[in-house]
Amino acid sequence: IRSIQDLQTVQIIKILRYEKKVSVMFFLMISCFLLCWTPYAVVSMMVAFGRRSMVSPTMAIIPSFFAKSSTAYNPLIYVFMSRKFRHCLLQLLCSRLSWLQRSLKERPLAPVQRPIRPIVMSRPCGKGEPTQEEGDV
């Protein structure tokens, strides 16, 4: 009975560690999102409420770039904080790399000489085709 309780305690501790790690990761993601988008929101509000003279073109562009770069931060957070994500990403990249290597081996290095076929049109465009009115009659 004592060993069952010890096993349950160990499992509970592992679950709590995992939940703490996930909570930290989500807090970091939300913080990065807010940090990236707050300057953009402030500049937008300044313009919306009539403080356009305080906003130079540079001051308007930099927060926009910073806000739009926020999409790159979530994958970076995942890579550094999630072992499963890192493992899956490496598997994906390695499979793509091996696929690329196989396809390069199968293709000849020298370009294959194929005859150039002319484009043949059966009739000139716009000539000889009935218009909507002529076809309806």
Side-chain angles (χ1 to χ4, degrees):
I1 295 180
R2 177 87 173 137
S3 65
I4 293 174
Q5 289 176 343
D6 290 343
L7 184 61
Q8 288 176 342
T9 305
V10 168
Q11 287 177 340
I12 290 172
I13 290 172
K14 284 182 179 180
I15 289 171
L16 289 175
R17 281 185 189 155
Y18 179 75
E19 287 181 356
K20 181 181 176 185
K21 187 175 181 179
V22 170
S23 298
V24 168
M25 184 171 66
F26 284 130
F27 178 76
L28 188 59
M29 290 168 57
I30 291 168
S31 298
C32 283
F33 179 84
L34 291 174
L35 186 70
C36 289
W37 280 94
T38 299
Y40 182 79
V42 168
V43 169
S44 296
M45 290 297 164
M46 287 172 62
V47 170
F49 291 115
R51 303 278 188 211
R52 188 170 295 195
S53 62
M54 293 176 63
V55 180
S56 68
T58 304
M59 189 176 164
I61 290 174
I62 291 174
S64 176
F65 285 134
F66 194 56
K68 291 175 179 140
S69 72
S70 72
T71 58
Y73 301 137
N74 283 351
L76 291 176
I77 292 169
Y78 283 140
V79 165
F80 288 115
M81 296 194 74
S82 174
R83 186 178 301 135
K84 287 180 184 178
F85 183 81
R86 205 170 30 244
H87 180 71
C88 289
L89 182 65
L90 286 174
Q91 278 185 335
L92 177 69
L93 292 177
C94 289
S95 69
R96 295 288 180 182
L97 187 62
S98 65
W99 174 82
L100 181 65
Q101 288 174 342
R102 277 195 311 269
S103 67
L104 287 176
K105 285 180 183 178
E106 292 170 0
R107 283 191 221 146
L109 293 177
V112 177
Q113 297 295 329
R114 293 187 183 120
I116 298 175
R117 296 184 344 199
I119 299 174
V120 179
M121 297 176 67
S122 59
R123 61 183 140 154
C125 292
K127 293 185 180 178
E129 297 175 357
T131 62
Q132 184 69 19
E133 294 83 19
E134 293 171 350
D136 289 342
V137 177

